Amino acid sequence: MTTTTTSLHKASCPQPGATSGWISAPSSPTPLLDHAVLERLREDLSEYDVWRVFVQNFITALPLRIEKVRVALTTGDADGAMDAVLSLKTASQMVGAERLAALAADLEAAQREGIRVADPAVALPRLAVDYLHRIKQRAGQTSYALRTHLDTARQPRTINSQP
């Protein structure tokens, strides 16, 4: 009896710029930043310019979030990987980082499918190979765009109480 197996890695490795073999590519391009989300954030948190602090905190925490994803994936920690990728996705959505959130959602779906069809100790490190470089690149682009947005956003008007 002869059996033929296909390497899970070969089945899951995307071509450069593509998504994992476990899920399909998005049908429409997503903006790097959703400026409507940033504007709503600015309106909701305008007092004391809290929205700026919120966005700056996202930028500051981004490397740590990515590191948590990396560690969980490379060690095959399914629960930790899901927690880390959901944290990255949700935080990205909150600041309008649409492409980063979409990439995190893609990784989330790939994780769910990967651990369904293979041992997490095998599937998750392979997803790290497939996704981490792109996540780091997208995070750098997003951080740059958010810093630029913060630099160019109108400063709050001050009311001069003197006649």
Side-chain angles (χ1 to χ4, degrees):
M1 179 167 122
T2 306
T3 58
T4 306
T5 59
T6 302
S7 165
L8 179 62
H9 183 68
K10 287 184 180 185
S12 68
C13 280
Q15 295 299 318
T19 59
S20 168
W22 287 328
I23 62 171
S24 60
S27 60
S28 65
T30 304
L32 184 63
L33 292 180
D34 184 340
H35 290 280
V37 171
L38 285 166
E39 190 57 35
R40 274 194 312 276
L41 189 62
R42 185 174 170 176
E43 289 170 5
D44 292 346
L45 301 176
S46 63
E47 188 174 354
Y48 305 111
D49 236 6
V50 172
W51 76 276
R52 286 181 183 277
V53 174
F54 188 83
V55 172
Q56 288 168 338
N57 286 345
F58 170 81
I59 294 167
T60 301
L62 194 51
L64 180 58
R65 280 193 173 96
I66 294 168
E67 179 62 10
K68 286 181 179 182
V69 170
R70 184 195 68 76
V71 168
L73 288 176
T74 58
T75 61
D77 177 5
D79 291 336
M82 190 57 68
D83 183 57
V85 78
L86 290 172
S87 173
L88 176 63
K89 180 180 80 170
T90 303
S92 298
Q93 290 169 331
M94 292 175 72
V95 297
E98 295 298 314
R99 286 188 194 161
L100 185 56
L103 187 55
D106 184 30
L107 175 55
E108 175 191 358
Q111 281 178 234
R112 290 182 194 281
E113 182 63 17
I115 62 176
R116 187 183 66 74
V117 300
D119 179 9
V122 174
L124 296 179
R126 290 181 177 152
L127 288 174
V129 171
D130 292 352
Y131 282 88
L132 285 175
H133 179 71
R134 289 186 291 145
I135 287 174
K136 287 178 182 179
Q137 281 185 317
R138 187 69 42 81
Q141 295 165 347
T142 300
S143 294
Y144 178 80
L146 285 169
R147 282 189 197 99
T148 300
H149 182 82
L150 288 173
D151 290 345
T152 59
R154 296 186 317 262
Q155 294 294 326
R157 289 187 274 174
T158 58
I159 299 173
N160 188 353
S161 60
Q162 295 179 347

